[in-house]
Amino acid sequence: MKNIFHIYSADIHRIIRNWAAGVIITGLAILPSLYAWFNIEASWDPYGQTSGVSIAVANLDKGTTLRDQPINLGKEIVESLHQNEKLGWRFTEDSENAIQGVRHGDDYAAIIIPENFSARIGTVLSNEPVKAQILYYTNEKINAISPKVTAKGASGVVEEISKNFIKTANGTIFEIFNTLGIEIENQLPAINKVRNLLFRLEKSFPELNEAVGTAAKDIKLANRLVQQAGTALPRLEEIATDGKAMAGALAEFANEAAGASKSLEPALRQDLEVLAATTGALSQVLDALGQADIDPKELASRLNAAQERAKTAAQAATRLGQLFKRLGSISPAAAAGAAKLEDIAARWTSAQTVLQTIAQAVERGEETPADAIDKLKKLNDDITGLTNTVLSRYDTEIGPAISKSFTKGAGTAKRVQHELTQALASVPDIQHLLKDAQKGLKVGGEEVQLAQSRLPEAELRITQLANRLREMEAAGDIQEVIDLLQNNFELESQFFAEPVTLEENRLYPIPNYGSAMSPFFTTLSLWVGALLLVSLLSVEVHDEERSFRSIEVYFGRYLTFLTIALFQALFVTLGDIYLLGTYVVNPGWFILFALLISTIFMLIVYTLVSVFGNVGKAMAIVLLVLQLAGAGGTFPIQMTPPFFQALHPYLPFTYAISMMREAVGGILWDIVVRDVLFMLIFAAIALMIGIALKKPINRASGGLVRKAKASKLIH
């Protein structure tokens, strides 16, 4: 032990007394910090600087006319991009210029709006709608990341167009429904007046017949009844005339409603498909639960995200169920679909509860309950089955039934118009009959028989018209149709444009990319610092006055390397925090973790070089290269090839970076304890190699080392 500290103290005295050595050692202590600082600063906020990423935009759209209104959606897209400063948009009128800019690397991508873009959008009102296209070109050889950034910008343009189109189209459809519903409601008193008068007239005929039969006995009473009928008949003619016009408006409305329902069907089906696609979130969680090596933090994050999706899906299914229930007033098939959607909403709510139970177990570090997983699988199967059933029935039953109900309403309105026309045509006959009856009363009993022969014909026609009106009412209440049409068209169009929203919750928010990368670059700089030390400083002790044992040289010189390595850790961490201003939740632990990591890294690299010489340096470099790809410092380890995923648990970087990330984002001590234990295992392995193998390997390779030095090329 005395010789160990003698070697260490002698090294420190030499550094202090020899100013040249002191300058070099100081440089070695600071140099790794520069490596970390420059890389962190360079990656501080790369996604906040995308305004310099040039994307050429060529608008060739010639526009079109829709409902006698000129539109040019390409021009509107360009105007909106002028307000978008997230990317460097370069506008040109020439598509070849845009493509040439991408080909030569002046632009990272190009977006071309074709000549027929607006025209294709306008085909939505035709029998054969055609999807519009936006052409996107990218040059992937310029940069590996830029295609991902530009593709996000291009897809954002398409998503915004689709969202606004759905919102506008649905808004127009529901606004038409709303207007028609208000118009029908305004004319409802006139419709009811015609109906009531017709039924009253129908009920009056038995009394009229009785009066004619007893006309001989009570001619005055019969005359009064005939006068009442004659007074009521002009009112009936006037109201029937109004009713005929209203029935025509009702038929026109029903035709428009039937046409609008055809646009409603694909919108409802799209919403059901979005709801069906949400089941993928449960499948992904079940897959993650089946992975034995998944990070509990990642699993908890997925479970929490799945909870939010389940909640949103339950709300969406409930809203769709309410809409189908309202449609059920005119279509029994829609009512059946509403019941299925209520079952789907209930199962999504149950799935949310089960996901919460599993997430709580994962956060507590407990084993995932098997019964909860089984229940989640069953819920996933039930939801998938129910959703697919609704989708299938929507295509074959529900959608056609809704359209059929509107079409049936149109036919009924036409029949009413026809019957009222016939009734108006019958009014002159009825008037003539009443006049004849009145004349018959005046001339006496001989005319009563004539009146009795005409009254049954009038009664038959009125009764037939009343019966047909009852049949129409039995097919559906007009008030239910009015209530369905008078919904808030703005809210409904907004709902169908975006039926599901995503709410993001950041558990460990880090304000910038540079701070998020500081654990990786700081850890990397500590290993690089250890490599610099073994490359420039000797691991052997050359003392002509005293001789030392191999183990004394190993520990004595290691203390010297360790002292410099600790200074490297202090410089890089203090510079990260106070010079660059990186975000660190626990700065004290950040520094202490770096000191521990530097101690172990230095021990590993020092042991390799002390035992294996120059071969050990090569081994340390190879280990560095493997750790750059296999430690998950930049990309998630699951995105790397299987070889690196298999290597991941056995690399010191894996646990060093994890430990530093805990200090940056917020410490979970169970993760820190695990990382420290693995780091200590690596340290123990290095110590065993140094203690057990240094002397025999140094002795065996002595001749090789001397031969290599004799070449005057290798020191």
Side-chain angles (χ1 to χ4, degrees):
M1 184 67 69
K2 182 178 180 181
N3 286 336
I4 292 175
F5 285 105
H6 173 79
I7 295 172
Y8 174 64
S9 61
D11 288 343
I12 299 301
H13 281 96
R14 292 190 190 99
I15 294 172
I16 295 172
R17 292 173 183 173
N18 190 322
W19 65 270
V23 170
I24 293 173
I25 296 300
T26 302
L28 290 174
I30 297 175
L31 190 58
S33 302
L34 300 178
Y35 178 83
W37 296 341
F38 285 138
N39 279 284
I40 293 173
E41 181 66 23
S43 60
W44 191 259
D45 188 17
Y47 299 106
Q49 310 296 326
T50 55
S51 58
V53 178
S54 177
I55 300 180
V57 180
N59 177 26
L60 309 180
D61 189 13
K62 293 183 177 180
T64 189
T65 301
L66 192 63
R67 288 189 174 182
D68 299 327
Q69 294 292 328
I71 62 171
N72 191 314
L73 297 179
K75 183 178 179 181
E76 294 180 10
I77 293 172
V78 171
E79 290 176 354
S80 67
L81 292 180
H82 275 292
Q83 308 300 322
N84 186 337
E85 299 179 355
K86 294 181 179 179
L87 293 168
W89 308 103
R90 181 179 70 84
F91 300 96
T92 177
E93 300 295 331
D94 184 6
S95 61
E96 185 59 33
N97 177 271
I99 297 174
Q100 191 70 8
V102 178
R103 184 178 290 115
H104 283 271
D106 299 326
D107 301 305
Y108 287 93
I111 294 176
I112 298 177
I113 304 174
E115 296 179 354
N116 60 355
F117 182 75
S118 295
R120 284 196 169 193
I121 290 289
T123 61
V124 68
L125 299 180
S126 68
N127 293 330
E128 297 181 357
V130 181
K131 291 184 179 181
Q133 291 181 334
I134 291 179
L135 305 180
Y136 171 67
Y137 297 86
T138 183
N139 186 342
E140 296 188 356
K141 75 178 182 179
I142 299 178
N143 186 274
I145 299 298
S146 61
K148 310 300 180 185
V149 177
T150 57
K152 185 65 176 178
S155 62
V157 172
V158 175
E159 289 174 3
E160 187 66 22
I161 293 172
S162 300
K163 179 180 177 181
N164 290 336
F165 175 77
I166 293 173
K167 181 178 179 181
T168 303
N170 286 341
T172 302
I173 293 171
F174 286 117
E175 186 175 8
I176 292 173
F177 284 176
N178 186 270
T179 302
L180 292 175
I182 293 174
E183 183 64 24
I184 294 174
E185 187 175 41
N186 291 337
Q187 298 298 328
L188 190 59
I191 296 173
N192 289 331
K193 193 173 182 181
V194 173
R195 169 187 175 278
N196 294 334
L197 185 59
L198 183 63
F199 289 153
R200 284 170 55 192
L201 186 60
E202 181 189 25
K203 292 179 180 180
S204 299
F205 269 102
E207 297 179 4
L208 185 61
N209 287 326
E210 183 179 356
V212 173
T214 58
K217 298 179 181 180
D218 198 351
I219 196 67
K220 291 184 179 180
L221 178 61
N223 187 53
R224 180 168 60 84
L225 292 175
V226 171
Q227 287 179 350
Q228 289 180 353
T231 302
L233 195 58
R235 292 172 57 199
L236 175 62
E237 182 179 9
E238 179 183 354
I239 295 173
T241 301
D242 294 340
K244 177 183 177 182
M246 187 58 214
L250 180 62
E252 182 179 358
F253 146 71
N255 287 330
E256 293 186 12
S261 69
K262 296 179 180 178
S263 300
L264 179 63
E265 284 186 45
L268 290 175
R269 194 183 195 289
Q270 182 179 8
D271 293 337
L272 291 172
E273 289 175 347
V274 170
L275 188 62
T278 310
T279 57
L282 291 182
S283 299
Q284 292 175 3
V285 168
L286 289 170
D287 291 341
L289 289 170
Q291 298 176 13
D293 58 343
I294 190 170
D295 184 11
K297 177 181 175 183
E298 174 65 18
L299 180 57
S301 175
R302 293 190 186 183
L303 288 168
N304 291 331
Q307 287 184 58
E308 293 302 320
R309 291 193 179 182
K311 178 181 177 182
T312 303
Q315 294 172 350
T318 299
R319 289 195 294 270
L320 282 174
Q322 292 172 352
L323 178 58
F324 272 56
K325 185 178 292 184
R326 287 158 57 191
L327 290 173
S329 62
I330 61 172
S331 172
K340 293 287 186 182
L341 286 167
E342 289 176 355
D343 290 342
I344 293 172
R347 282 168 170 79
W348 271 117
T349 302
S350 300
Q352 182 185 0
T353 303
V354 175
L355 286 168
Q356 184 177 8
T357 301
I358 297 174
Q360 289 174 350
V362 171
E363 290 174 355
R364 291 193 300 267
E366 299 174 358
E367 184 177 355
T368 305
D371 57 339
I373 295 176
D374 293 338
K375 185 175 182 181
L376 186 62
K377 289 180 179 177
K378 186 176 185 306
L379 286 172
N380 185 34
D381 294 340
D382 292 345
I383 292 170
T384 301
L386 286 171
T387 306
N388 290 336
T389 300
V390 173
L391 272 172
S392 175
R393 292 194 62 188
Y394 184 82
D395 291 334
T396 58
E397 299 178 23
I398 299 175
I402 294 173
S403 298
K404 183 177 179 182
S405 297
F406 281 103
T407 304
K408 183 178 179 181
T412 302
K414 290 181 180 178
R415 289 198 300 273
V416 171
Q417 185 180 19
H418 177 72
E419 295 301 332
L420 286 174
T421 301
Q422 289 186 343
L424 285 173
S426 302
V427 168
D429 295 336
I430 298 174
Q431 289 177 334
H432 181 68
L433 289 173
L434 290 176
K435 287 180 181 179
D436 290 344
Q438 191 174 15
K439 289 179 181 180
L441 290 173
K442 288 181 179 180
V443 297
E446 67 275 8
E447 298 293 333
V448 172
Q449 187 175 2
L450 178 62
Q452 287 178 329
S453 65
R454 296 289 184 92
L455 281 177
E457 182 182 356
E459 181 181 7
L460 177 62
R461 294 192 178 188
I462 294 297
T463 301
Q464 289 176 345
L465 183 61
N467 289 335
R468 289 177 181 174
L469 186 59
R470 291 188 186 95
E471 291 175 0
M472 184 184 70
E473 290 181 345
D477 187 357
I478 192 172
Q479 187 62 47
E480 294 178 353
V481 177
I482 293 174
D483 293 340
L484 177 63
L485 295 176
Q486 286 186 332
N487 291 324
N488 189 319
F489 65 89
E490 292 183 353
L491 293 178
E492 290 189 345
S493 66
Q494 292 174 2
F495 170 79
F496 284 109
E498 192 176 9
V500 179
T501 58
L502 177 65
E503 180 180 348
E504 181 181 2
N505 296 285
R506 301 173 63 191
L507 299 181
Y508 303 101
I510 299 176
N512 53 71
Y513 190 74
S515 296
M517 290 298 293
S518 63
F520 172 68
F521 286 123
T522 300
T523 300
L524 179 58
S525 69
L526 296 178
W527 189 279
V528 171
L531 283 175
L532 286 174
L533 290 180
V534 297
S535 298
L536 297 179
L537 303 182
S538 175
V539 297
E540 299 298 334
V541 176
H542 305 284
D543 193 331
E544 298 178 355
E545 299 179 358
R546 303 179 63 172
S547 61
F548 303 100
R549 291 187 300 159
S550 177
I551 193 170
E552 293 173 342
V553 172
Y554 174 75
F555 283 108
R557 184 51 58 90
Y558 170 69
L559 293 177
T560 303
F561 278 82
L562 175 60
T563 301
I564 303 172
L566 293 177
F567 276 106
Q568 289 177 340
L570 286 173
F571 282 134
V572 69
T573 52
L574 292 174
D576 288 349
I577 298 171
Y578 299 107
L579 183 61
L580 299 182
T582 57
Y583 176 83
V584 179
V585 174
N586 304 103
W589 286 109
F590 185 74
I591 296 171
L592 290 176
F593 290 161
L595 292 173
L596 174 62
I597 293 168
S598 184
T599 300
I600 297 174
F601 280 3
M602 190 69 258
L603 178 61
I604 295 171
V605 175
Y606 171 80
T607 299
L608 290 174
V609 178
S610 178
V611 174
F612 300 102
N614 287 329
V615 176
K617 295 178 184 179
M619 294 169 66
I621 294 173
V622 170
L623 191 56
L624 172 63
V625 173
L626 291 175
Q627 292 183 118
L628 287 174
T634 51
F635 294 98
I637 190 62
Q638 292 78 9
M639 297 173 62
T640 60
F643 170 76
F644 293 104
Q645 294 186 40
L647 197 62
H648 177 72
Y650 307 104
L651 299 175
F653 265 35
T654 298
Y655 307 99
I657 294 173
S658 173
M659 197 185 312
M660 297 296 280
R661 282 174 176 165
E662 291 299 309
V664 169
I667 293 178
L668 294 177
W669 285 108
D670 57 331
I671 296 177
V672 172
V673 170
R674 180 206 64 185
D675 295 337
V676 171
L677 288 175
F678 275 100
M679 292 297 290
L680 292 177
I681 291 172
F682 290 124
I685 294 172
L687 283 173
M688 286 189 292
I689 293 174
I691 294 172
L693 300 180
K694 177 175 174 57
K695 183 175 180 180
I697 291 181
N698 286 170
R699 183 181 300 167
S701 61
L704 178 63
V705 171
R706 287 190 297 272
K707 191 69 175 177
K709 288 183 178 180
S711 69
K712 300 189 182 298
L713 295 175
I714 302 174
H715 64 79

